[in-house]
């Protein structure tokens, strides 16, 4: 009897460390077979160079509707049903046209102009925590609201509706129930369709939605879907990185002290946190549109590929002692934001938010520490952006 290839992605045991079984996968061949959530057999890429080569290969498609696309979760299964795809699920030429439309809001220059606004948001959330005193839940009271408020402002999504967004997004991205996810996705999309209609009646509407609604450059339906997916992509990931980043720093007190003593050290430290955490096992999914031969392996047209940063970013040929967190190393070549055409649109924003948030935390609360050992935090199940939904802290 032949045994099925191992499941991928797998669950973390300690939320800020990769699943133990990934170590064995990394020691195996650069491409190996794994079993997805939907029971398909797909290719898993375990090495950095193969990952980068494939992520640049035009014979790989990101279109979730194509047969063979690796369905690694309920959420990906829901995307395979969609008539329209958001940017991350588009191929050229549509992909490049839409990406160019959104890019002006995400350039380094534009993002830097947001610094004071992000600092204000960070400090307001910390004020609230300091006002009520210890203990606090650093995830729900800080890591989540900061990027949520930032992305709402960037998009022009009304903050007064944030409780609705938060609840619907939680039901969409956390569920294991297809119908619950489908329903939450419908509610969010209907909300954004209405918002785009309303924005068309108000010239000079706020943010990216205001800039593009009624511009004639994008259909209302595509803009509504884009706004919904940017809202989700723009905070889920960053919230996970702020909380797991804080955990990793608290687990490495000497490095945290060195970063606090030298404010510029936060820049390389954030790159290393991105590499070390590589939270997006659910990203970098592809399906081959043609046969591809690489590293002596034949990937056949129609076969799915998983190219996670959690393995490539721990390739010992590229990153020395990859399992060691070293805030001084040059981790800049990591692929935690992906690589190639779909490389993260929001990476400049995410970096700045992380730098500001992880600096302000200990400036404002110098004795901040975890209220429970890291091993007792509850990691999210596989298939989601890896992270935690609660981080008890005290000071
Ligand atoms: C630490 C935080 C973040 C991480 C780790 C992250 C990770 C990623 C990864 C790995 C991809 C590549 C997906 C692929 O190739 O299939 C991606 C794409 C994307 N990300 Fe992020 N992301 C983060 C923050 C953000 C933020 C703040 C936004 C803001 C809206 C954002 C929006 C997007 C979009 C729109 C794409 C698709 C780009 C395209 O297909 O051209 N992300 N992200």
């Amino acid at each position: 009897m032949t045994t099925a290839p191992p499941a991928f992605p797998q669950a973390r045991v300690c939320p800020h460390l990769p699943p133990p079984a990934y170590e064995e996968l990394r020691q195996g061949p650069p491409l190996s077979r794994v079993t997805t959530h939907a029971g398909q057999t797909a290719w898993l890429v375990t090495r950095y160079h193969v990952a980068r080569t494939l992520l640049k290969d035009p014979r790989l498609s990101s279109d979730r509707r194509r047969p063979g696309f690796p369905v690694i979760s309920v959420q990906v299964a829901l995307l395979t049903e969609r008539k329209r795809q958001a940017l991350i699920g588009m191929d050229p030429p549509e992909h490049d046209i839409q990406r160019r439309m959104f890019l002006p809001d995400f350039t380094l220059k534009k993002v830097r102009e947001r610094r004071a606004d992000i600092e204000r948001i960070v400090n307001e959330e910390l004020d609230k925590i300091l006002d009520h005193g210890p203990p606090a839940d650093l995830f729900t009271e800080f890591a989540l609201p900061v990027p949520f408020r930032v992305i709402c402002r960037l998009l022009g999504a009304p903050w007064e509706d944030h409780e609705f967004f938060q609840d619907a997004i939680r039901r969409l991205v956390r569920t294991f129930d297809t119908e619950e996810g489908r329903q939450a996705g419908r509610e969010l999309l209907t909300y954004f369709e209405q918002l785009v209609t309303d924005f068309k009646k108000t010239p000079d509407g706020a943010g990216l939605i205001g800039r593009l609604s009624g511009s004639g450059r994008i259909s209302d339906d595509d803009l509504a879907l884009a706004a919904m997916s940017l809202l989700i992509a723009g905070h889920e990931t960053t919230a996970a990185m702020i909380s797991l980043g804080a955990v990793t720093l608290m687990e490495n007190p000497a490095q945290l002290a060195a970063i606090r003593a030298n404010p510029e050290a936060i820049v390389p430290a954030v790159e290393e946190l991105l590499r070390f955490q590589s939270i997006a096992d659910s990203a970098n999914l592809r399906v081959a549109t043609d046969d591809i031969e690489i590293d002596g392996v034949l990937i056949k047209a129609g076969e799915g590929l998983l190219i996670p940063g959690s393995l490539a970013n721990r390739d010992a040929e590229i990153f020395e002692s990859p399992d060691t967190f070293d805030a001084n190393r040059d981790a800049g070549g990591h692929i935690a934001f992906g690589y190639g055409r779909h490389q993260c649109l929001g990476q400049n924003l995410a970096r700045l938010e992380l730098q500001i948030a992880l600096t302000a935390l200990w400036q404002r609360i110098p004795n901040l520490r975890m209220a429970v050992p890291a091993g007792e935090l509850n990691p999210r199940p596989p298939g989601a952006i890896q992270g935690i939904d609660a981080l008890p802290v005290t000071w």
Side-chain angles (χ1 to χ4, degrees), residues 64 87-88 95 99 106 151 230 233-234 237-238 241 274 279-280 283-286 335-338 341-346 349-350 353-354:
R64 273 71 180 143
L87 191 63
I88 200 164
H95 169 268
R99 188 168 166 116
F106 294 97
I151 193 69
L230 289 170
T237 44
T238 317
M241 269 310 301
L274 286 159
I279 53 168
N284 297 356
L285 308 175
R286 302 288 189 270
I335 61 159
F337 287 123
R341 142 173 317 125
H342 289 275
Q343 199 173 27
C344 182
L345 180 75
L349 183 64
E353 289 181 87
L354 282 164

Side-chain angles (χ1 to χ4, degrees), residues 265-332:
I266 193 66
V267 175
V270 161
E271 294 313 309
E272 172 65 348
L273 284 171
L274 286 159
R275 179 198 74 82
F276 191 75
Q277 289 298 345
S278 293
I279 53 168
D281 270 358
S282 48
N284 297 356
L285 308 175
R286 302 288 189 270
V287 58
T289 58
D290 211 341
D291 289 358
I292 300 170
E293 214 184 312
I294 184 161
D295 218 65
V297 171
L298 178 68
I299 300 165
K300 296 212 189 90
E303 289 185 329
L305 287 107
L306 288 67
I307 317 178
S310 52
L311 297 175
N313 286 335
R314 287 183 182 234
D315 184 335
E317 276 182 24
I318 308 298
F319 302 101
E320 208 184 309
S321 307
D323 295 324
T324 304
F325 174 72
D326 175 2
N328 286 320
R329 81 160 84 218
D330 177 5

Side-chain angles (χ1 to χ4, degrees), residues 46 60 108 111 120 145 157 187 211 216 229 234 302 316 321 347 371:
T46 67
L60 293 189
L108 194 54
V111 164
R120 179 182 59 77
E187 285 171 30
R211 176 168 68 77
S229 29
S321 307
Q347 61 185 288

